[in-house]
Amino acid sequence: MFLTISTTGTPERPATDLGFLLHKHPGNAQAFSTSYGTAHVLYPEASAERCTAALLLEVDPVALVRRGKGKGGKGRSGAADASLAQYVNDRPYAASSLLAVALSTVFSSALRGVCRARPERAEQTMPLRVEVPALPARGGADLVRKLFEPLGWAVTAEAVPLDEQFPQWGDSRYVRLVLEGELRLAEALRHLYVLLPVLDDAKHYWVSADEVDKLLRAGEGWLAGHPEQKLITSRYLSRRWSLTRQALERLELVRLADADDTAVEAIDNAVDETADTEERPVPLAVQRRAAILAALHEAGAARVLDLGCGQGQLVQELLKDPRFTEIVGTDVSVRALTVAARRLKLDRMGERQAARVRLQQGSLAYTDKRLTGYDAAVLSEVVEHLDLPRLPALEYAVFGSARPRTVLVTTPNVEYNVRWESLAAGHARHSDHRFEWTRAEFRDWAERVAGRHGYRVAYVPVGPDDPEVGPPTQMAVFTLDDTPAARKYAHTPAEKEAKAV
């Protein structure tokens, strides 16, 4: 298996920066052991004007048979030819999931976009040319273009004939692939890591549940909006329907989480036109965070979860208060977590401060053992971004499974929308809001949640409390009821029903 990555450069940005980004010196030929053979990295050319890195994977067919559990050794025709197909196949020669795994093993730092020697270069796009001499493509050259062109690549995919001496036999399922484009190196590697096995439509190893996390990490920033998302997801997960459905649901949540927040920021931070001598009102977003911190202080919480933390504004405020000894921010969007890490300056944070905070990817539609045992959890402007049929899943994950002692939920009060002059009548505050509750609707939901899961609930207005339409934001403070009568709620039929939903 063979793949090359080339770039061109200028005196200010030499092409040999490719060596820094790949963490492989152009002056050395290096070899790396893998489970199925040896991966070699070498540079056929390395100058300031042009640099090419080559990855050559020598596959050990015997090791592949001994360790492989996937489709790599078996043909689709059945078991009759399986014993021979284990040894006679295209695996040593054609790019496949074996090469994708070698990419992630040999270029792991580059795949994550990490480069301490040239951090600014890792964030910049560069002219790239990727060549794969033999790529199995179930779907032909047309599918190759459908997969790569939406990602910004100029694609050249030439079908390889079955036999050049007998063109009448037609084309094989292999193509010669050339990709050219202006992208970040990490983006290019992630595209290859996902799409090489997708085109081959066969993996050399057993696909388990952790493959969903691998797919979402590598697909961060591009897969959620790809026009061939369903095909990519299904093939990458070897058509295992349960995993595919889970991945598609999480990708949809990522798409929603990455929706443009311009409208909601404009509403939250809107102020009346005032003279320069008048004091401007505090933005609603700031008032909301202050109300959350006050409720956490009153609850005596020290270990706090920010569920749906977004870009980390609340986590940043919590870190300023030494009373909060452990702060965990969770979000379904890897992009949002990356922005949050930059906002918090995690890479430059002192050891003691860094020990107090952790950011992790996760979906509130599923139970997560990492969320158990905390004093408090905050769902700030989160619930309205979910479809109503999905709320019972979130309800069980937070109140039924994680069960923090205190849960704070804030959500817009739709009755207050008439006070926003910049908001058109009948419109939600954000295009991604699936609903906005009245005060009565919010209280009805909160009372049912509290009754079903053994909590008490109180309500706090956030922002100016208008005598006619109420506050712009409504907050419910759930407190776990530790009385013996309330403890039964953890195992009642109603709880089991919520879990099933």
Side-chain angles (χ1 to χ4, degrees):
M1 298 183 191
F2 192 66
L3 176 149
T4 60
I5 303 173
S6 304
T7 188
T8 56
T10 63
E12 296 77 21
R13 295 180 178 180
T16 47
D17 281 352
L18 182 64
F20 287 101
L21 298 180
L22 292 175
H23 295 256
K24 303 294 180 289
H25 195 286
N28 300 327
Q30 302 175 61
F32 304 87
S33 296
T34 71
S35 300
Y36 302 96
T38 304
H40 301 269
V41 178
L42 57 145
Y43 289 77
E45 54 183 341
S47 67
E49 295 76 26
R50 182 176 174 84
C51 184
T52 298
L55 175 63
L56 171 66
L57 179 61
E58 287 185 298
V59 176
D60 181 349
V62 176
L64 183 63
V65 172
R66 288 175 177 172
R67 297 179 60 91
K69 297 181 181 180
K71 299 176 183 177
K74 291 187 179 181
R76 292 178 179 266
S77 58
D81 61 344
S83 58
L84 180 61
Q86 286 181 337
Y87 295 94
V88 182
N89 54 56
D90 63 355
R91 289 300 181 240
Y93 316 106
S96 64
S97 58
L98 286 166
L99 188 60
V101 171
L103 276 173
S104 67
T105 302
V106 177
F107 300 137
S108 58
S109 296
L111 199 70
R112 300 195 308 272
V114 175
C115 180
R116 293 184 178 179
R118 298 283 194 276
E120 73 289 345
R121 203 68 175 97
E123 296 297 322
Q124 297 169 350
T125 61
M126 57 197 308
L128 293 172
R129 178 184 174 92
V130 177
E131 298 184 49
V132 183
L135 173 66
R138 295 188 185 276
D142 288 341
L143 180 59
V144 177
R145 284 186 281 270
K146 288 181 181 179
L147 295 183
F148 283 102
E149 285 180 348
L151 303 175
W153 293 103
V155 180
T156 303
E158 300 176 352
V160 177
L162 283 170
D163 193 315
E164 293 182 354
Q165 296 183 359
F166 300 95
Q168 65 273 20
W169 289 1
D171 295 330
S172 68
R173 70 182 187 96
Y174 303 94
V175 299
R176 297 186 184 95
L177 176 65
V178 178
L179 302 173
E180 294 178 292
E182 187 87 14
L183 293 91
R184 293 174 54 239
L185 179 63
E187 292 175 335
L189 293 176
R190 290 172 190 157
H191 297 165
L192 294 168
Y193 176 76
V194 173
L195 297 181
L196 290 182
V198 165
L199 285 165
D200 186 25
D201 199 17
K203 283 199 169 182
H204 65 280
Y205 58 88
W206 175 253
V207 174
S208 57
D210 63 348
E211 289 296 298
V212 175
D213 293 328
K214 293 180 184 178
L215 174 62
L216 293 184
R217 282 197 299 268
E220 188 268 323
W222 62 271
L223 182 55
H226 198 290
E228 300 295 334
Q229 176 200 106
K230 291 183 179 180
L231 180 143
I232 293 171
T233 304
S234 175
R235 285 194 177 191
Y236 184 88
L237 298 171
S238 296
R239 292 186 171 85
R240 292 191 61 188
W241 170 238
S242 60
L243 298 182
T244 302
R245 181 178 60 186
Q246 178 183 342
L248 291 174
E249 288 176 351
R250 291 174 63 180
L251 284 168
E252 176 64 9
L253 291 173
V254 169
R255 186 190 68 79
L256 297 178
D258 287 344
D260 185 13
D261 288 335
T262 303
V264 72
E265 286 296 325
I267 294 293
D268 274 358
N269 297 312
V271 296
D272 296 330
E273 293 184 2
T274 56
D276 291 339
T277 57
E278 296 181 25
E279 184 178 354
R280 293 185 178 272
V282 178
L284 179 58
V286 176
Q287 296 182 59
R288 185 187 303 121
R289 289 193 288 271
I292 291 171
L293 263 65
L296 292 174
H297 289 165
E298 186 174 348
R303 304 174 66 239
V304 180
L305 297 166
D306 183 5
L307 304 177
C309 65
Q311 298 180 1
Q313 292 92 333
L314 178 59
V315 173
Q316 189 175 39
E317 290 298 317
L318 293 170
L319 272 172
K320 295 176 183 178
D321 193 328
R323 280 179 285 191
F324 301 114
T325 59
E326 183 178 354
I327 305 156
V328 177
T330 299
D331 203 280
V332 72
S333 170
V334 178
R335 176 190 290 180
L337 292 173
T338 301
V339 175
R342 292 174 183 169
R343 176 189 296 275
L344 300 172
K345 298 181 175 62
L346 289 182
D347 56 339
R348 288 176 280 173
M349 190 176 287
E351 183 177 350
R352 180 177 298 180
Q353 189 80 331
R356 295 173 57 213
V357 63
R358 183 172 77 255
L359 300 178
Q360 61 190 28
Q361 196 270 343
S363 169
L364 297 179
Y366 303 93
T367 58
D368 190 337
K369 293 181 179 179
R370 297 176 298 174
L371 305 182
T372 59
Y374 285 84
D375 299 328
V378 179
L379 290 147
S380 179
E381 309 300 283
V382 171
V383 295
E384 64 272 12
H385 290 272
L386 274 71
D387 291 316
L388 283 170
R390 304 288 297 170
L391 275 183
L394 175 144
E395 174 188 326
Y396 178 74
V398 176
F399 296 91
S401 177
R403 295 187 70 76
R405 295 189 60 82
T406 301
V407 181
L408 307 181
V409 179
T410 74
T411 191
N413 169 23
V414 70
E415 296 170 82
Y416 195 89
N417 287 0
V418 296
R419 297 292 188 256
W420 299 116
E421 295 182 2
S422 57
L423 185 63
H427 284 244
R429 298 187 196 179
H430 188 278
S431 59
D432 184 50
H433 285 184
R434 300 311 175 92
F435 60 86
E436 288 181 352
W437 276 324
T438 65
R439 287 169 290 172
E441 290 170 331
F442 180 52
R443 290 190 176 216
D444 178 65
W445 173 80
E447 296 289 347
R448 284 188 284 109
V449 170
R452 182 179 293 137
H453 296 279
Y455 281 79
R456 301 186 303 272
V457 61
Y459 306 95
V460 178
V462 179
D465 197 354
D466 190 288
E468 295 181 4
V469 297
T473 294
Q474 43 194 342
M475 179 166 72
V477 181
F478 296 85
T479 305
L480 190 62
D481 191 344
D482 282 337
T483 62
R487 293 193 193 107
K488 68 180 181 180
Y489 284 97
H491 305 286
T492 60
E495 183 85 349
K496 295 177 181 178
E497 180 185 351
K499 181 178 181 181
V501 172

